């Protein structure tokens, strides 16, 4: 799309994004070690975590072309496939996956929060690296973001039930976090993008902000791992369950994307874009929501952090599997 900042191979941003998996893994491991050796509650004040999360979401949203919503609707087949997969087929599969989990509300909440929200950031990066259509991926991100924000309350009500949510005061905790840590950065990023349409300085600022999501998320993962290490050790059995569930989700997402791409007769590159969209989730956008919940829901935070790590390594597999096996050049759609 015209007007987008150039993203040539070898730039600082590409280098950061290529090494992000290892940065996140190291941050989690070091955070766990520091948390075990020290008293993390006194080392990481709560306001620091929230400030980093707010900055992270703002930096991420500035890279989402919110002012270009109309462009993505020009390809109706692509949008129909993307919305059908992300908001109809995959939620149904997630609902079936919940049936395999133990009776643990916090575990289910974490799984729902993270798997119901399509990714709007590194989805573009992995689409580009996996020989998908990054232009359509960029154009689709604001639609995905707005749709998931609108549909998340409905999904939680359907899967958890109104009575459970009321009993645990769920909405009283989710609503302030949603408004303060998602809607405020979203509105600010939209205003920034509007400003950039008539200011070269604002455009340069947005380009600089494009370098920030990976370092900020690395810092967030370090702090979360450090402060939640007791929860990690206390939920050891949950970890092993999720190590089966999340890879299973990635495999299902890839096959669903492949099937929908053929059903809607999408071009190869566009079909790969759909697969990467279904496979990637908005883990750190929902992390603030999980952190805002009362202590009874603490395991949801561990679920979201673990999912992000499983997904990142899963994307390494996707980069080879999707263009070479699922939708190779020789196949016909």
């Amino acid at each position: 799309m015209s007007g987008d900042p150039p993203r040539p191979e070898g730039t600082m941003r590409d280098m950061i994004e290529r090494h992000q998996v290892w940065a996140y893994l190291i941050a989690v491991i070091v955070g766990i070690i520091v948390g075990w050796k020290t008293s993390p509650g006194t080392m990481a004040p709560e306001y620091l975590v929230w400030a980093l999360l707010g900055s992270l979401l703002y930096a991420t949203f500035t890279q989402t072309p919110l002012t270009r919503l109309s462009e993505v609707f020009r390809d109706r087949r692509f949008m129909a496939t993307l919305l059908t997969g992300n908001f109809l087929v995959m939620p149904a599969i997630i609902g079936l996956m919940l049936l395999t989990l133990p009776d643990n509300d916090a575990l289910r909440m974490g799984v729902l929060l993270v798997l119901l929200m399509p990714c709007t950031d590194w989805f573009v990066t992995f689409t580009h690296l996996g020989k998908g259509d990054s232009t359509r991926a960029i154009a689709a991100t604001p639609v995905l973001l707005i749709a998931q924000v609108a549909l998340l309350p409905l999904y939680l009500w359907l899967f958890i039930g109104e009575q459970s949510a009321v009993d645990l005061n769920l909405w009283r905790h989710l609503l302030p976090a949603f408004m303060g840590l998602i809607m405020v950065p979203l509105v600010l990023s939209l205003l920034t993008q509007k400003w950039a349409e008539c200011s070269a300085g604002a455009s340069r600022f947005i380009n600089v902000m494009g370098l920030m999501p990976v370092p900020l998320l690395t810092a967030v993962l370090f702090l979360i791992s450090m402060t939640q290490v007791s929860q990690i050790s206390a939920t050891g059995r949950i970890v092993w369950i999720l190590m089966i569930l999340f890879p299973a989700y990635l495999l299902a997402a890839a096959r669903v994307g492949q099937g929908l791409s053929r059903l809607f007769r999408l071009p190869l590159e566009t079909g790969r874009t759909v697969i990467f969209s279904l496979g990637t989730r908005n883990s750190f956008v929902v992390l603030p929501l999980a952190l805002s919940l009362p202590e009874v829901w603490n395991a949801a935070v561990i679920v979201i952090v673990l999912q992000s790590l499983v997904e990142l390594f899963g994307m390494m597999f996707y980069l080879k599997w999707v263009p070479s096996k699922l939708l190779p050049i020789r196949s016909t759609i």
Side-chain angles (χ1 to χ4, degrees):
M1 290 182 296
S2 60
D4 287 329
R7 289 176 46 84
E9 298 293 332
T11 64
M12 177 65 73
R13 182 168 174 176
D14 284 322
M15 183 184 72
I16 291 173
E17 291 175 345
R18 283 181 179 278
H19 294 89
Q20 62 183 322
V21 176
W22 302 109
Y24 300 148
L25 181 62
I26 292 170
V28 170
I29 292 174
V30 174
I32 290 174
I33 293 172
V34 172
W36 265 328
K37 298 289 185 181
T38 60
S39 177
T42 61
M43 293 175 51
E46 187 175 353
Y47 67 81
L48 177 59
V49 177
W50 294 113
L52 283 171
L53 282 168
S55 301
L56 169 62
L57 293 178
Y58 172 70
T60 300
F61 293 158
T62 59
Q63 307 307 302
T64 303
L66 298 169
T67 59
R68 299 175 180 174
L69 275 172
S70 61
E71 296 183 19
V72 74
F73 291 106
R74 295 174 185 171
D75 190 341
R76 295 183 180 179
R77 281 193 299 164
F78 169 61
M79 278 309 305
T81 309
L82 202 66
L83 295 176
T84 299
N86 274 306
F87 299 112
L88 288 177
V89 180
M90 294 315 299
I93 291 175
I94 293 165
L96 293 175
M97 287 181 168
L98 287 183
L99 300 177
T100 68
L101 296 177
D103 188 16
N104 183 312
D105 284 338
L107 171 62
R108 292 168 181 252
M109 171 60 71
V111 170
L112 287 171
L113 281 175
V114 74
L115 291 187
L116 288 170
M117 302 280 275
C119 186
T120 56
D121 46 86
W122 63 49
F123 148 58
V124 177
T125 300
F126 287 120
T127 296
H128 169 68
L129 295 175
K131 298 181 174 59
D133 190 331
S134 56
T135 298
R136 280 182 171 80
I138 293 170
T141 51
V143 178
L144 292 174
L145 183 61
I146 292 171
Q148 65 190 260
V149 165
L151 291 172
L152 181 61
L154 173 62
Y155 285 139
L156 293 182
W157 178 79
L158 286 173
F159 287 115
I160 294 178
E162 184 178 6
Q163 188 61 44
S164 176
V166 171
D167 288 346
L168 291 169
N169 296 313
L170 181 60
W171 305 115
R172 181 169 63 85
H173 293 274
L174 279 179
L175 187 59
F178 177 78
M179 295 301 297
L181 274 169
I182 294 183
M183 293 307 298
V184 171
L186 185 62
V187 171
L188 289 176
S189 66
L190 178 59
L191 294 175
T192 303
Q193 291 178 27
K194 285 289 188 181
W195 179 34
E197 291 177 355
C198 57
S199 169
S203 296
R204 288 193 294 270
F205 173 74
I206 289 178
N207 289 340
V208 172
M209 292 304 292
L211 301 174
M212 300 308 296
V214 172
L216 285 170
L217 181 54
T218 301
V220 167
L221 288 175
F222 169 76
L223 290 176
I224 296 301
S225 301
M226 183 180 68
T227 56
Q228 299 292 323
V229 64
S230 60
Q231 284 294 319
I232 294 174
S233 59
T235 56
R237 288 178 297 177
I238 291 178
V239 169
W240 292 111
I241 294 170
L242 298 176
M243 290 300 290
I244 298 174
L245 181 76
F246 290 142
Y249 173 87
L250 287 168
L251 292 174
R255 288 301 185 182
V256 168
Q258 180 190 40
L260 288 175
S261 298
R262 288 175 172 163
L263 178 65
F264 284 85
R265 302 183 64 81
L266 298 181
L268 283 174
E269 288 189 350
T270 307
R272 293 171 190 151
T273 304
V274 171
I275 292 176
F276 279 101
S277 176
L278 300 186
T280 52
R281 305 286 91 185
N282 243 350
S283 52
F284 66 81
V285 171
V286 296
L287 187 59
L289 301 182
L291 287 169
S292 72
L293 297 175
E295 188 175 352
V296 69
W297 296 97
N298 276 354
V301 176
I302 306 305
V303 172
I304 293 169
V305 171
L306 180 62
Q307 187 278 336
S308 67
L309 294 175
V310 172
E311 178 182 298
L312 284 166
F313 283 98
M315 287 302 106
M316 299 299 104
F317 176 68
Y318 265 40
L319 291 179
K320 294 182 179 295
W321 187 38
V322 172
S324 64
K325 300 295 183 182
L326 285 186
L327 293 178
I329 295 296
R330 67 178 177 275
S331 76
T332 58
I333 299 179

